[in-house]
């Protein structure tokens, strides 16, 4: 699974590195910090651009809204002017039709039917004067534009003409009368053309005011519609630019990130392969920055490690060949030394004195120790060279444990150490290399007895559970420091207690670990300083026929 994941990651990294944009960024002659800085600055500039555009859009929207207010105020004033002109025309039309009704609440004028009323005409004069006065900018409360001013001037002139006509021609007809009734035929006939002219002026006045008001209202509606359209366009532009900025920022981040992540993934995959012992490949990094330099260094390291690995393999092969060739030459003279020393010690060729016997014992003991060391070194060399083939067959693990206990019990008794053995009934026949397993058992028992002080105990147990057989050797010795619990399973390594006793070669546990692992098992230690140690190895619980 791990190899598939590494392969997938490598393919993904190569695909991303193959993208044109990613490849272009990777080949830029700038370090990673500069590229990141450029990306951050670019993203910040995009945000600033979006902010400035948003500010401009809001400003334009505010300006458009602000422009509507004055135009609406003009429309209101023009509408009032139109209303007054409409009312004036209505007054004159009613008087011409011989029927008039004042509709203002504050008017004291009576309803007059069938007569011309001086009060109505005076009222019309006053209304015309008011309309003329309302065209002034100080009464309108704003300065009208030029085109409106021309219309306003026309309204003012028309109002003045109407007022002049009423004052100078219509009202003098009344004389000392306040009304002209139907009986005053001559006066009525004289009045008719004058009132027709007045009505025409009032109609013109109303038409001009209506055109001004209607035109302004149309401008308001057009401005509102134009503002709505402009706002929609500005909003669409802002959204588009913001979306584009986001897409560009994401694209920039994507391209930059993969220009960094892709080489890192490729380098990580290559390092994982190197860690597993594969020196055949190379990492391809096109970056012209720190990652490119790192990829080149990884390739150099890969080449150097491959060279060293080949040299080590060659040296290991030479060592194995040397040890294999020297095994006979080393053992033959050593066996002769031990054999002849035993012959002399047993006085088979003559008597020896006490001092000579003591020297011969030292020679025999040292020779056996040296022979054991040579055998361990040769065995370890064979294991490392992969030249050890297990002779797997069914054997009784219980008997192997019992024989191991018997072998160390004599020394344990001499040292005042009690050795006990307990095994589950289910633990009996297992499949494995009997000689190698016995060597592991003996190594663990020897170490336990050796490091247990007088009066201590060594407990040996065997259990079967969860598809494996576990053998534990527990002692009441000084214990092992936490920093030494992994190191003691390496070649020529001992705990501080073992170094102090100056016994052993530091190869027993290393050999035991390799023999157990060759069987597909595992070995570990649990210990506490001052309270002893427990060494345990577990083997797969194979059937006796496997």
């Amino acid at each position: 699974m791990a190899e598939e994941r590494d392969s997938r990651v490598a393919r993904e990294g190569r695909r991303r590195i193959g993208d044109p944009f990613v490849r272009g960024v990777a080949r830029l002659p700038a370090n990673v910090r500069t590229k990141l800085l450029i990306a951050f600055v670019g993203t910040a500039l995009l945000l600033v651009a979006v902010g400035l555009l948003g500010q401009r859009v809001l400003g334009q929207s505010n300006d458009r809204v602000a422009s509507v207010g004055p135009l609406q105020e003009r429309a209101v004033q023009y509408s009032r002017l139109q209303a007054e002109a409409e009312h004036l025309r209505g007054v004159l039309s009613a008087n011409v039709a011989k029927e008039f009704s004042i509709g203002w609440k504050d008017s004291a004028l009576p309803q007059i039917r069938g007569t011309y009323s001086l009060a109505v005409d005076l009222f019309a004069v006053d209304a015309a004067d008011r309309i003329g006065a309302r065209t002034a900018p100080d009464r309108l409360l704003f300065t009208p534009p030029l085109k409106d001013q021309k219309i306003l001037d026309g309204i003012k002139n028309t109002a003045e003409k109407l007022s002049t006509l009423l004052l100078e021609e219509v009202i003098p007809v009344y004389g000392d009368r306040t009304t002209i009734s139907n009986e005053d035929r001559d006066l009525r006939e004289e009045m008719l053309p004058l009132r027709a002219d007045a009505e025409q002026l009032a109609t013109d006045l109303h038409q001009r005011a209506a055109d001004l008001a209607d035109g302004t209202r149309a401008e308001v509606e057009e401005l509102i519609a134009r503002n709505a359209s402009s706002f929609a366009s500005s909003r669409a532009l802002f959204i588009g630019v913001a979306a584009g900025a986001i897409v560009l920022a994401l694209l920039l981040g994507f391209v930059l990130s993969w220009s960094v992540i892709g080489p890192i993934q490729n380098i990580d995959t290559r390092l994982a392969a190197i860690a597993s012992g594969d020196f055949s490949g190379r990492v391809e990094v096109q970056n012209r920055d720190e990652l490119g330099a790192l990829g080149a260094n990884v390739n150099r390291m890969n080449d150097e490690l491959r060279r060293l690995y080949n040299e080590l393999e060659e040296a290991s092969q030479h060592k194995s060949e040397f040890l294999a060739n020297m095994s006979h030459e080393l053992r033959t003279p050593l066996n002769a030394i031990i054999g002849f020393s035993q012959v002399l010690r047993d006085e088979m060729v003559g008597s020896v004195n006490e001092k000579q016997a003591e020297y011969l014992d030292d020679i025999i003991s040292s020779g056996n120790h040296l022979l054991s060391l040579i055998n361990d070194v040769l065995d370890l060399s064979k294991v490392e060279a992969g030249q050890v083939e297990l002779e797997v067959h069914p054997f009784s693990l219980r008997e192997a444990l019992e024989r191991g206990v018997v072998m160390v019990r004599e020394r344990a008794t001499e040292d005042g150490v009690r050795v006990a053995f307990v095994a589950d009934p289910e633990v009996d026949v297992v499949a494995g290399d009997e000689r190698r397993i016995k060597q592991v058992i003996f190594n663990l028992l020897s170490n336990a007895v050796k490091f247990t002080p007088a009066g201590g105990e060594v407990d040996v147990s065997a259990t079967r559970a969860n598809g494996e057989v576990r053998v534990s050797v527990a002692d009441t010795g000084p214990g092992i420091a936490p920093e030494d619990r992994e190191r003691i399973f390496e070649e020529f390594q001992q705990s501080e207690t073992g170094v102090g006793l100056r016994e052993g070669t530091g190869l027993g546990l290393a050999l035991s670990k390799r023999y157990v692992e060759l069987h597909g098992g595992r070995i570990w230690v649990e210990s506490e300083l001052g309270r002893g140690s427990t060494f345990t190895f577990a083997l797969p619980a194979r059937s006796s026929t496997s």
Side-chain angles (χ1 to χ4, degrees):
M1 293 298 292
E3 294 179 357
E4 293 179 0
R5 179 182 62 81
D6 293 341
S7 178
R8 185 173 65 255
V9 170
R11 289 196 301 271
E12 179 70 11
R14 285 193 295 270
R15 186 179 71 82
R16 294 299 181 189
I17 286 296
D19 291 344
F21 293 111
V22 176
R23 187 166 59 248
V25 172
R27 289 178 175 177
L28 289 176
N31 55 40
V32 175
R33 186 172 68 175
T34 301
K35 293 178 181 178
L36 291 175
L37 182 60
I38 292 174
F40 293 151
V41 171
T43 303
L45 290 177
L46 289 175
L47 293 176
V48 170
V50 171
L52 292 176
L53 179 61
Q55 185 178 9
R56 180 182 177 184
V57 168
L58 291 176
Q60 291 176 344
S61 178
N62 290 334
D63 292 342
R64 287 192 294 267
V65 172
S67 65
V68 173
L71 190 58
Q72 288 178 329
E73 180 63 24
R74 284 164 52 195
V76 170
Q77 295 295 335
Y78 293 162
S79 296
R80 291 176 180 174
L81 193 63
Q82 180 188 9
E84 292 187 6
E86 174 71 19
H87 189 67
L88 174 60
R89 189 185 68 169
V91 169
L92 293 175
S93 297
N95 208 7
V96 170
K98 309 180 185 62
E99 184 176 323
F100 175 70
S101 175
I102 298 298
W104 289 4
K105 295 181 180 179
D106 59 349
S107 176
L109 294 176
Q111 290 188 356
I112 302 172
R113 297 178 182 273
T115 60
Y116 292 137
S117 173
L118 177 62
V120 172
D121 290 334
L122 291 175
F123 180 83
V125 171
D126 184 59
D129 291 339
R130 285 200 306 270
I131 292 174
R134 287 188 66 89
T135 60
D138 57 337
R139 294 292 301 277
L140 293 173
L141 302 180
F142 61 85
T143 300
L146 182 60
K147 64 183 184 66
D148 290 356
Q149 186 62 54
K150 292 180 179 180
I151 299 176
L152 288 171
D153 291 341
I155 292 174
K156 181 179 179 181
N157 292 333
T158 304
E160 290 177 350
K161 288 180 180 179
L162 178 58
S163 177
T164 302
L165 177 64
L166 291 173
L167 286 174
E168 295 181 358
E169 297 185 32
V170 174
I171 292 178
V173 176
Y174 286 95
D176 55 355
R177 296 178 179 83
T178 58
T179 60
I180 298 176
S181 64
N182 293 330
E183 288 77 12
D184 300 325
R185 292 180 176 274
D186 296 335
L187 293 178
R188 288 181 63 85
E189 291 179 359
E190 184 181 355
M191 184 73 74
L192 282 175
L194 296 176
R195 301 200 71 84
D197 292 341
E199 183 181 4
Q200 183 61 45
L201 289 173
T203 300
D204 292 343
L205 182 65
H206 173 263
Q207 185 61 45
R208 291 175 183 272
D211 291 343
L212 184 61
D214 292 342
T216 305
R217 282 194 293 269
E219 288 185 24
V220 172
E221 293 175 358
E222 181 183 359
L223 181 60
I224 292 175
R226 189 166 61 250
N227 288 349
S229 177
S230 299
F231 176 76
S233 300
S234 299
R235 181 177 61 185
L237 176 62
F238 178 74
I239 293 175
V241 172
I246 292 174
V247 171
L248 288 176
L250 291 177
L251 180 62
L252 181 62
F254 175 81
V255 171
L256 182 63
S257 63
W258 270 110
S259 70
V260 176
I261 294 174
I264 291 177
Q265 288 181 339
N266 291 342
I267 292 172
D268 178 69
T269 302
R270 182 85 286 272
L271 289 175
I274 292 174
S276 64
D278 179 14
F279 305 105
S280 60
R282 293 179 65 83
V283 61
E284 298 296 335
V285 177
Q286 301 175 351
N287 292 47
R288 299 172 65 183
D289 49 26
E290 295 90 340
L291 294 175
L294 179 61
N297 289 332
V298 169
N299 288 330
R300 283 196 292 270
M301 180 187 70
N302 178 81
D303 296 340
E304 183 65 16
L305 288 176
R306 178 169 55 191
R307 183 185 66 80
L308 293 175
Y309 183 77
N310 292 335
E311 291 180 357
L312 288 175
E313 279 192 333
E314 185 178 355
S316 177
Q317 182 66 28
H318 291 331
K319 181 194 71 173
S320 299
E321 293 176 357
F322 170 77
L323 292 176
N325 293 332
M326 292 298 295
S327 61
H328 180 71
E329 285 76 3
L330 290 172
R331 288 176 178 176
T332 299
L334 188 57
N335 286 329
I337 293 172
I338 295 173
F340 286 124
S341 297
Q342 289 176 341
V343 168
L344 294 175
R345 182 65 181 80
D346 294 339
E347 298 182 352
M348 296 176 62
V349 292
S351 61
V352 294
N353 57 37
E354 183 177 351
K355 196 64 175 177
Q356 290 172 336
E358 181 181 351
Y359 289 158
L360 288 172
D361 288 338
D362 291 339
I363 293 172
I364 294 171
S365 176
S366 298
N368 286 326
H369 179 70
L370 182 59
L371 182 61
S372 175
L373 176 59
I374 291 173
N375 289 333
D376 287 345
V377 171
L378 292 175
D379 290 343
L380 187 61
S381 299
K382 290 179 180 179
V383 171
E384 291 178 346
Q387 298 176 354
V388 173
E389 295 184 3
L390 298 179
E391 298 178 3
V392 179
H393 59 82
F395 71 95
S396 175
L397 181 61
R398 180 186 295 272
E399 291 182 4
L401 291 170
E402 291 175 347
R403 289 178 184 175
V405 170
V406 170
M407 291 174 65
V408 300
R409 182 162 285 162
E410 181 178 356
R411 177 178 176 179
T413 302
E414 292 176 356
D415 295 341
V417 177
R418 185 182 67 83
V419 180
F421 170 62
V422 178
D424 290 347
E426 298 179 357
V427 178
D428 189 9
V429 179
V430 297
D433 190 321
E434 183 177 4
R435 184 171 70 86
R436 309 293 184 185
I437 297 301
K438 284 183 177 180
Q439 188 173 352
V440 173
I441 294 172
F442 181 75
N443 286 339
L444 296 181
L445 288 173
S446 298
N447 287 341
V449 171
K450 179 170 58 177
F451 291 109
T452 301
E457 299 179 358
V458 174
D459 295 321
V460 183
S461 61
T463 58
R464 182 172 184 150
N466 299 325
E468 62 182 11
V469 177
R470 293 187 179 185
V471 176
S472 298
V473 178
D475 62 58
T476 57
I480 303 172
E483 61 272 15
D484 293 334
R485 291 173 192 170
E486 294 293 333
R487 187 171 59 85
I488 58 176
F489 289 102
E490 299 175 3
E491 297 87 348
F492 303 104
Q493 298 293 327
Q494 292 179 303
S495 64
E496 293 184 0
T497 304
V499 174
L501 292 176
R502 297 184 180 276
E503 293 189 28
T505 61
L507 293 175
L509 288 177
L511 269 175
S512 299
K513 183 175 184 294
R514 282 158 176 75
Y515 286 153
V516 170
E517 290 176 348
L518 284 174
H519 283 80
R522 53 200 176 94
I523 186 171
W524 68 94
V525 62
E526 298 173 353
S527 181
E528 185 177 349
L529 287 176
R531 304 190 65 178
S533 305
T534 300
F535 285 84
T536 304
F537 68 90
L539 300 174
R542 300 167 180 161
S543 63
S544 59
T545 59
S546 60

